[in-house]
Amino acid sequence: MDLSAVRAPRPAGFLAVWLCCAALLSGCTGSAAPEARGTKDTSATGDAGRRRADAPLSADQLQNDYLRVIKDVLPSVVQIRTGRELGSGVVYDDKGHIVTNAHVVGGASTFEVTTANSQTAFTASLVSSYPEQDLAVVKLDKVPPGLRPAAFGDSAKVEVGQIVLAMGSPLGLSSSVTQGIVSATGRTVSEGQGGGTGATIANMVQTSAAINPGNSGGALVNLDSRVIGIPTLAATDPQLGGSAAPGIGFAIPASMVKTVADQIIRYGRVVESGRAALDITGRTVVNAEYQPAGVAVVDVKAGGAADKAGIRSGDIIVGLGGKDVTTITSLSEALAADKPGQRTSVTFVRDGSRKTVEVTLGQQ
């Protein structure tokens, strides 16, 4: 679904979620591990896992785990400079590919990249950016010796309560580490305005680890030194004047990071997003009380999902799959739970009459 034409207003009381580096792009983190990316995930049988099975951790053992993970991970932290702004990324492979957020690279195509514990800046170029998932890949023009790729974990093994570390450069403080737990999984979150891509992202990992300006594009790491997500969003509470909501941050799951990065590296772009679409351009409309009341269809892609179902320009979508649709954001969030090729119902209003049709979803 093409969302480029609109930015939806938020319903009153909605917990607004904004990009953690919308105001300041100051370095984020990568993650490293003893093995290179793609090695077998041993999170269930590693040292930390064995101790969890054998006996409770002592304070010394837990501290040693923290120190080990930090030692493993920091060599994969890079800082990305785009003009006057800073961001960070995760070393993805030994070919010099680095994964980060799309909103970190912005509209830039060339970068200066500084690896951990180094003052030397290396040049890098954009491979491709995928704003729909807020991910991007850049590539070092020359790979420095000893560059260590991160190891990514299995998203299916992420559980609520797991201890995690968030690594990045909050407020420009390079190689900073915060700690917390996985607070929830499977969150669908829409990025706010203010410098972001406006993406709606499904299956995000919620964490209590502090996510501050500069953590975007970095790494959320478990105690087996594996990246389980890319920190991307921090929550703000509109009732507190947009102040940060402490302990509520979100990370793109490792499975999606790998899916997008592998396609960009192989094809130069994302060819199969796995994201469902109605194949329309829409905008939020309001009722007589100026409250969001649905999504007006501005344009329908010829031969797309909506076109085949008989939806046309001027229709106002008010429901999808049994969920109410009041804004372009709520429509995106409803679609985020579905897959391309899946059949679902779309309810819309045409000439004052309410209609419901079955639609086979397309792909973004």
Side-chain angles (χ1 to χ4, degrees):
M1 179 176 63
D2 182 358
L3 303 180
S4 61
V6 303
R7 284 292 185 268
R10 297 186 180 278
F14 182 83
L15 178 63
V17 179
W18 298 93
L19 293 177
C20 71
C21 62
L24 174 64
L25 281 174
S26 57
C28 303
T29 176
S31 106
E35 298 89 5
R37 179 189 61 83
T39 58
K40 182 179 179 181
D41 179 13
T42 60
S43 58
T45 58
D47 291 341
R50 282 195 297 269
R51 283 199 296 272
R52 284 194 296 272
D54 295 340
L57 291 176
S58 69
D60 286 343
Q61 288 173 327
L62 183 59
Q63 178 171 290
N64 288 337
D65 275 341
Y66 279 30
L67 294 174
R68 173 182 49 77
V69 172
I70 292 168
K71 182 179 178 180
D72 289 341
V73 168
L74 287 184
S76 290
V77 175
V78 300
Q79 187 177 82
I80 303 172
R81 181 180 292 274
T82 61
R84 297 173 58 187
E85 297 180 330
L86 293 175
S88 293
V90 179
V91 178
Y92 194 70
D93 61 23
D94 58 6
K95 306 297 182 184
H97 291 105
I98 296 166
V99 65
T100 184
N101 284 133
H103 71 259
V104 169
V105 303
S109 58
T110 58
F111 314 91
E112 289 185 351
V113 174
T114 305
T115 58
N117 302 318
S118 173
Q119 300 300 316
T120 302
F122 299 89
T123 58
S125 302
L126 179 68
V127 180
S128 186
S129 178
Y130 186 56
E132 292 85 349
Q133 195 67 40
D134 201 358
L135 290 169
V137 175
V138 304
K139 188 176 187 297
L140 293 168
D141 297 328
K142 181 180 180 180
V143 180
L147 187 70
R148 182 188 296 182
F152 285 75
D154 184 349
S155 293
K157 295 181 179 179
V158 176
E159 295 182 289
V160 175
Q162 286 181 331
I163 295 174
V164 289
L165 304 180
M167 303 186 181
S169 298
L171 305 179
L173 301 172
S174 61
S175 300
S176 294
V177 182
T178 59
Q179 65 88 28
I181 63 169
V182 173
S183 304
T185 59
R187 296 296 198 200
T188 296
V189 181
S190 293
E191 295 179 352
Q193 301 177 33
T197 68
T200 296
I201 306 172
N203 298 318
M204 296 193 82
V205 178
Q206 181 182 332
T207 180
S208 64
I211 305 297
N212 293 300
N215 282 112
S216 288
L220 190 67
V221 187
N222 65 18
L223 291 188
D224 290 293
S225 300
R226 280 165 175 75
V227 179
I228 64 168
I230 300 294
T232 303
L233 304 169
T236 60
D237 189 343
Q239 296 182 353
L240 298 177
S243 299
I248 304 178
F250 301 92
I252 300 172
S255 58
M256 179 55 70
V257 175
K258 291 187 288 186
T259 295
V260 170
D262 286 344
Q263 291 183 59
I264 288 176
I265 292 169
R266 182 173 181 180
Y267 303 109
R269 60 188 179 90
V270 174
V271 295
E272 293 185 5
S273 68
R275 292 170 60 92
L278 274 177
D279 300 321
I280 67 165
T281 299
R283 62 180 178 83
T284 300
V285 294
V286 297
N287 57 22
E289 288 74 38
Y290 298 100
Q291 296 299 311
V295 173
V297 178
V298 176
D299 185 59
V300 178
K301 178 182 177 181
D307 186 33
K308 291 178 179 178
I311 298 172
R312 62 193 190 206
S313 297
D315 293 341
I316 299 176
I317 297 173
V318 295
L320 185 141
K323 300 177 182 178
D324 291 339
V325 170
T326 56
T327 66
I328 199 74
T329 299
S330 63
L331 178 58
S332 298
E333 290 172 349
L335 284 168
D338 296 331
K339 298 294 182 182
Q342 181 176 328
R343 287 187 63 80
T344 190
S345 62
V346 175
T347 301
F348 60 91
V349 176
R350 177 186 296 169
D351 298 328
S353 299
R354 193 179 182 97
K355 303 178 182 291
T356 299
V357 297
E358 290 294 313
V359 177
T360 301
L361 296 171
Q363 179 169 259
Q364 286 189 359

